[in-house]
Amino acid sequence: MRLISIRNLRNDASRYADAREQVETWFDKIKEANWQNLEDVRKVYKDAEAVGNFTVFNIKGNDYRLIVGIDYEFQTIYYKYFLTDADYSKNRWKNDPYF
């Protein structure tokens, strides 16, 4: 898989020192992935879930949420949001037109 906007993800995650290592581990895993659907994603990330048109990953337990769009056909992941659990729960990210 190819990630669009890794720089933005790293920038957003850099505000949370306790999440940086897990974000980098996630990035390393997706570079090697060849996912065809959500079930393939769940083989690696059992808690990944589809919410609207996004896929949501739990980072550092449930402390953070990494929200992406995945185009399985083109093997591309589009970074959208890196949120704390509290910000995720406010649901403002659901106002995204892609949602």
Side-chain angles (χ1 to χ4, degrees):
M1 302 292 280
R2 186 171 64 109
L3 177 64
I4 304 297
S5 295
I6 182 60
R7 183 174 297 166
N8 291 342
L9 171 56
R10 285 181 173 145
N11 184 50
D12 291 350
S14 71
R15 296 180 294 176
Y16 310 102
D18 60 331
R20 275 189 234 140
E21 184 177 330
Q22 285 194 334
V23 168
E24 289 302 322
T25 299
W26 177 87
F27 179 58
D28 289 342
K29 286 183 180 181
I30 64 119
K31 288 189 292 188
E32 303 300 321
N34 184 22
W35 296 327
Q36 300 302 310
N37 52 48
L38 183 60
E39 290 308 310
D40 287 348
V41 175
R42 287 186 174 154
K43 290 176 185 172
V44 180
Y45 291 99
K46 65 181 173 95
D47 295 328
E49 61 181 327
V51 181
N53 289 319
F54 294 128
T55 301
V56 179
F57 294 88
N58 294 330
I59 301 294
K60 197 173 176 287
N62 284 333
D63 291 350
Y64 305 98
R65 300 296 194 293
L66 173 56
I67 303 170
V68 302
I70 300 178
D71 185 327
Y72 296 105
E73 181 180 354
F74 293 102
Q75 292 291 291
T76 304
I77 296 177
Y78 299 91
Y79 166 70
K80 297 299 278 183
Y81 304 98
F82 187 82
L83 303 172
T84 64
D85 180 57
D87 286 335
Y88 176 82
S89 296
K90 292 177 184 173
N91 290 326
R92 289 185 200 136
W93 60 276
K94 290 183 178 178
N95 294 325
D96 187 290
Y98 183 71
F99 180 78

